[in-house]
Each structure stands twice: as structure tokens, then as C-alpha cells.
Amino acid sequence: GWVYAAVYCVIVLFMSFGLFNVIIAIFLEHVLGAAKTNDQLLKKQRLRDQAYLGDKMVELIMIVWDTYQKEQDVGHTPTGENLSLSQLVRLAAPMEISPEL
């Protein structure tokens, strides 16, 4: 009778909601995983960007240089003798620092 039909409809309804819930959960898991991977790729790309890296290196060098200037007299070696610009460039060559910096 109708009781079995009602029970069948309720069971089918709950099974449908359960199935769609699982499908939505799988879909969201894949979407969130893709978003995380995309963020990681964008971060890697940004860190590899040479212009960005160059700007950040210049900022870092300026911070280190300002700190060094505050602690010591600029242009003097530890023994007290003055360094010329050409000597500074020669000392910076092994570190691959160009004279423009």
C-alpha cells in the first residue's frame, strides 16, 4: 500500500540528498586543492621574477649599508687606511656586485 510507497519516497529522498552531498564535497575538495596549487604557483612565479628580486636585493643592500654606516666610518678599512672607488669595485667583483649598485 501507500505506507510502503511513502517509506520508499522518504528513503529515495534521503539517499538523493546523501549522494549529492558526497558529490558536492568531492567537487569542493578539488576546487580548494586547485586554488591552493594556484596560489603556490603564483608565489613561486613571483619569487622567480627577476625585477622583483632585484628590487628586494637593492632594498636589502641599502638596509645593510645604512646599518654599516652607522656603526663605522665609511671608506676606511679595519686597519684605518682609506679605500678608493676602484679598490671598492675590485673588492666587490668576486661577489658579483656591479659598480652601479
Side-chain angles (χ1 to χ4, degrees):
W2 66 271
V3 176
Y4 292 115
V7 171
Y8 176 77
C9 287
V10 169
I11 290 174
V12 168
L13 182 68
F14 281 122
M15 293 297 283
S16 296
F17 279 122
L19 178 65
F20 285 121
N21 189 23
V22 170
I23 291 171
I24 295 296
I26 291 171
F27 176 73
L28 284 176
E29 183 180 339
H30 287 292
V31 168
L32 293 176
K36 183 178 179 181
T37 302
N38 192 27
D39 286 344
Q40 289 173 346
L41 289 174
L42 288 175
K43 185 177 180 180
K44 280 184 183 178
Q45 192 176 34
R46 188 181 73 236
L47 291 175
R48 289 182 185 166
D49 185 13
Q50 292 298 319
Y52 178 80
L53 179 63
D55 291 342
K56 292 299 174 184
M57 289 302 296
V58 168
E59 287 179 33
L60 179 63
I61 289 171
M62 293 305 293
I63 290 169
V64 170
W65 184 252
D66 289 341
T67 304
Y68 179 77
Q69 281 181 333
K70 290 176 185 176
E71 292 179 1
Q72 294 182 352
D73 289 333
V74 179
H76 290 82
T77 61
T79 60
E81 54 191 36
N82 290 330
L83 292 176
S84 67
L85 180 61
S86 61
Q87 289 171 326
L88 285 174
V89 170
R90 183 178 47 80
L91 290 173
M95 295 183 284
E96 298 179 0
I97 297 176
S98 64
E100 291 81 29
L101 289 177

